[in-house]
Amino acid sequence: MKKTIASALLALLAGCNQATSSPIDEKSACELLDTGSLQSILAANIELQTTLVDDFERRLSGVASRCKVLFVDDPAPTTFAEQFKQRTLVFSLYTPESFAKGNSLMEEKGKKPTLDFERHWSNLSRNQKVDDLARGQGFIREVSVGKMKETQGLLRHDDLLVVISVANAPADTAQKLLTTISEHGKF
């Protein structure tokens, strides 16, 4: 009870519309910032696409909501290789509740539940310079899988983890988005 009251007071003091303990639906990631703010940061015409998170994906990652930013004026890739050279931006939201959902799905399949929100944050933030932001803590990191490289901005606000994944965009894009979401994000 005290945690809920404290969370609600923190949310009000920070200028949020709602406390972070409220449930996240599949559209929440696309509602973090209004499209106009995103367009000005990205200097591009964009559309937002809610990408459904299926049970298999949730079981592996605990993700609650995901949003892909489509760059309207970019040419469509004509080859498989070109697809990996396109700029991409994805917002993903994680909560303890989404991790619990992932664990229950694992148990249904007869597997041992392995998702833990606090441990996940601890693993992500280990060996990183975590900064205090307007609302929460965050950092920027570089991630690569094979030849694919992306910059990630991670923001932890109470029991909400926002992951911003950016590829083939200016180097400071993730930092601008991280700062803006921390200051003005709708969560």
Side-chain angles (χ1 to χ4, degrees), residues 19-44:
T20 59
S21 60
S22 62
I24 290 179
D25 65 24
E26 63 186 32
K27 295 179 181 177
S28 295
C30 284
E31 296 170 349
L32 278 172
L33 291 174
D34 64 85
T35 306
S37 295
L38 275 173
Q39 286 185 160
S40 66
I41 292 169
L42 300 170

Side-chain angles (χ1 to χ4, degrees), residues 99-173:
F99 274 57
K101 168 76 171 159
N103 280 330
S104 67
L105 290 167
M106 291 173 92
E107 287 177 333
E108 286 174 16
K109 301 285 184 190
K111 297 184 180 191
K112 181 181 176 186
T114 58
L115 298 174
D116 180 276
F117 185 80
E118 291 300 329
R119 187 173 61 221
H120 185 66
W121 171 251
S122 178
N123 289 340
L124 288 171
S125 59
R126 185 179 325 143
N127 301 323
Q128 302 291 332
K129 181 186 175 297
V130 179
D131 297 316
D132 288 327
L133 301 170
R135 289 185 294 167
Q137 296 180 314
F139 60 92
I140 300 292
R141 70 181 189 160
E142 301 294 322
V143 179
S144 57
V145 178
K147 291 184 180 182
M148 288 183 53
K149 295 181 180 177
E150 71 179 25
T151 304
Q152 289 184 338
L154 291 93
L155 169 67
R156 167 89 188 260
H157 177 65
D158 293 333
D159 284 344
L160 176 69
L161 175 61
V162 179
V163 178
I164 306 160
S165 302
V166 182
N168 302 316
D172 65 344
T173 303

